[in-house]
Amino acid sequence: MPARKKVSSSSSSSASGPSTNVPKSPSTVGPVDGGVVAHAKTAARKRPPPESPESVRIRTAVVLSFWAVVVFLGLPIWWKTTAIYRAKLPLREMVEWADGKVCRPVFPLRISIEARFLQEQDAQHLLRTTQHALDDHNDFSAHHLRLQLSQAVRNVTARAGGPSPTGMRAAVGSLEDQEEHVALVVRLLPGESGSPPNAVLQPYSPTLEVYYPPNQIPSTSSTSSPLASFIASKLQEIFAEEQAMIAYILSTGAPGTSAQPPGSSGLVGHASQNPQPAQTSAREPRSPLIKALPADLQANLARRTTRSLKYSPTYHLTFSLFTPGASPSSWDIENAIEQYLSPLLESFAPISNFTIDTQVQLYASFSPSVRDPEFDPDINAWTLRTEDLSGFINAAEWPLSPSIGGAPTVNFVLYVPAADRSPLVVKENRGNSWLVPQWGVVMILNPPASDAAAAKTASHLSEEDLRPALLTFSHQLLSLLGTPQSPSSLPLRLLTLTRVRSASLLLSASSTLGSLARLTLALPSISIPRAVAISVDRTLSHLHDACVDLRDGRFQRALENARIAEAEAERGFFEKSMVGQVYFPDEHKVAVYLPLLGPVGVPLVMYARKEIMGAWRGWKMRSST
């Protein structure tokens, strides 16, 4: 206000002469004077006092120091601590294994011919003639039979001076020691003259005894022989189911895995002794046998594959006794298992091991979804409908143990019905047992009709009472483990199972490697721990060894290597630290970093922008002057 009065007085005196010193109110100030004052204030605000060069240097140094800490210290620490470690994997080799371009499994089965009663020249000619007959009828070269003369038997027989019993026993012992990789022993024995040749397959030994009439021994000049054709047809009959199972596995992929990607058909083409180049094996056609498999046979193999359990080096067997009342309350299951089941389990030792536990459950009622049994007067028995069998197991109340220690559990349930509901059978087939795919076996144990009255008070099941149940469980266990149904010789069926499991595990491990390679390529942000790389290296090594063992006919070693390869592949694919990264998308990273970087980054960016703009204006002013 005083300043405004002073300006007004000076303006009035300069216009009208001497000042009268009369004070004027602020309202008498003219518009021109007010504009001058406003302009003066605006000029004063737009022109701050000049900043000293020292202050400019200090401010610039402060901003640069902050940015230096961010760039040279913060970013390297952030990059190091948040970098995703990805171990180097042989992705190309993994994909080639999955596509079947590295290994083409072959199964050369060695058949040893024991011809103690033939001259060496006649035995060699019979072997060649039989081999030609086998090759002419075999259109699946991935699985082929190779005949060889038993050298041990011939040498021992020659040293013994003839086919004496002592020489024969020594020959058999030498054969077991020197020919451990032989799939089948064909023992040629002279029969009656004039009778047709006959063959007998030993049920508990991989031995085929062929009785031949002496007049059917082919001469060295003949190119064919009825005896050679007979032996060849018997060998094809023995290994027909194994050949079909291997052809089915190689064409459809390992059980429990997805179908092989394009190019895997090269696994089933013509066998070779060395791995073929990738560009040729993928184009080779499949074996004609795979195309020639009848539809009903393929459906049967698919049904059996679905029914059997996935391979495991160890299975847990649980035997359970259920009864709707208070008896029987005990059973002699330990002695029954030792008597009727242990020999079978011991024969499986080269393939799988078993653990066993037992339990008894009293007052076990049916599942509520199962209709009560109906009495059928035509058969004088109580009956269950087939559609009720799937709900027979009361999983809510019956204490059936799950898998223990990671090993699959095979359940064997023995149900003893009440005396007033006995005998209890299935209505459609009048059977008393059934198989639950990939789970176990259920059997209804009905006491004999003459002992129905005694059964009301019976509280203990003896070893003899359990004999039918254990025999049924033994037969069904073979089906659950994927054992072929033929031939009748159990050792041959187990040897076939060894080869089939080797093929399925090899394909399963190869498929898992392919899935891991595709996952690695599809998710570049996923971590690959060092443990995964180690598992992959071990898998590839054991896969190669398994393939070589199959080619050389060492099927037991092939199974061991394929088992390790499959376990290592599964371990690498389901690595915990790697799987966790799959469920951490980029949106989560933004949500973590934005609240932290926003308050710190905005001031730094604004100050940097201000400094850059100030430097630009200074350069522009200097360039204009």
Side-chain angles (χ1 to χ4, degrees), residues 7 20 26 58 62 78 183-184 189 191 302 322 406 484 492 499 541 571 591 603 618:
V7 172
T20 58
I58 293 175
V62 169
W78 169 81
L184 177 66
L189 302 174
F322 292 95
L492 280 180
R499 291 184 282 270
S541 175
R571 183 180 296 109

Side-chain angles (χ1 to χ4, degrees), residues 71-139:
V71 173
F72 297 106
L73 185 62
L75 287 179
I77 294 178
W78 169 81
W79 183 266
K80 184 67 176 178
T81 56
T82 61
I84 297 176
Y85 178 77
R86 290 173 63 89
K88 187 176 181 181
L89 300 179
L91 299 178
R92 181 176 179 181
E93 186 177 1
M94 295 164 63
V95 173
E96 288 178 350
W97 270 100
D99 293 342
K101 299 176 182 179
V102 178
C103 174
R104 295 156 49 86
V106 292
F107 301 85
L109 273 63
R110 301 177 184 177
I111 310 298
S112 180
I113 305 295
E114 290 186 13
R116 303 187 189 95
F117 300 93
L118 294 179
Q119 297 294 328
E120 181 179 357
Q121 186 177 4
D122 294 337
Q124 291 286 359
H125 181 67
L126 178 61
L127 185 146
R128 288 192 298 268
T129 307
T130 307
Q131 185 67 66
H132 288 320
L134 286 172
D135 295 339
D136 292 341
H137 293 86
N138 183 28
D139 51 2

Side-chain angles (χ1 to χ4, degrees), residues 13 67 157 161 237 245 258-259 333 345 369 402 459 504 534 536 554:
S13 60
W67 274 103
T157 303
E237 178 183 347
M245 292 177 67
S258 59
I333 187 62
L345 300 182
S369 61
S459 60
S504 63
I534 295 175
V536 170
R554 299 188 295 266

Side-chain angles (χ1 to χ4, degrees), residues 366 370-374 382-389 392 415 424-429 434 444:
F366 286 152
V370 177
R371 288 171 290 186
D372 291 336
E374 299 176 352
W382 294 84
T383 60
L384 287 170
R385 295 179 178 87
T386 303
E387 56 267 20
D388 292 333
L389 298 183
F392 183 86
Y415 183 82
L424 181 63
V425 297
V426 180
K427 183 175 182 180
E428 285 73 12
N429 56 14
W434 61 91
I444 301 174

Side-chain angles (χ1 to χ4, degrees), residues 397-479:
E397 299 182 6
W398 293 7
L400 296 172
S401 56
S403 297
I404 298 177
T409 296
V410 185
N411 293 278
F412 297 99
V413 175
L414 184 63
Y415 183 82
V416 180
D420 56 351
R421 295 288 182 91
S422 180
L424 181 63
V425 297
V426 180
K427 183 175 182 180
E428 285 73 12
N429 56 14
R430 301 184 183 180
N432 65 338
S433 65
W434 61 91
L435 184 145
V436 181
Q438 299 186 8
W439 186 84
V441 184
V442 180
M443 181 176 179
I444 301 174
L445 182 61
N446 294 304
S450 59
D451 298 336
K456 295 182 180 180
T457 57
S459 60
H460 180 76
L461 294 178
S462 64
E463 178 182 332
E464 186 61 27
D465 295 333
L466 296 174
R467 181 177 181 274
L470 268 296
L471 294 179
T472 300
F473 291 160
S474 300
H475 176 73
Q476 299 290 10
L477 178 62
L478 293 176
S479 299

Side-chain angles (χ1 to χ4, degrees), residues 8 21 26 60 112 193 219 228 266 273-274 354 380 391 411 439 477 485 511 518 578-579 586:
S8 301
N21 296 326
T60 303
S112 180
S193 299
S219 61
Q273 296 299 319
N274 298 313
F354 300 91
N380 193 27
N411 293 278
W439 186 84
L477 178 62
Q485 298 177 352
S511 178
R518 289 188 291 270
M578 183 177 66
V579 174
D586 294 336

Side-chain angles (χ1 to χ4, degrees), residues 37 118 310 336 441 509 514 545 551:
V37 175
L118 294 179
K310 182 182 178 181
V441 184
D545 294 342
R551 184 185 62 198

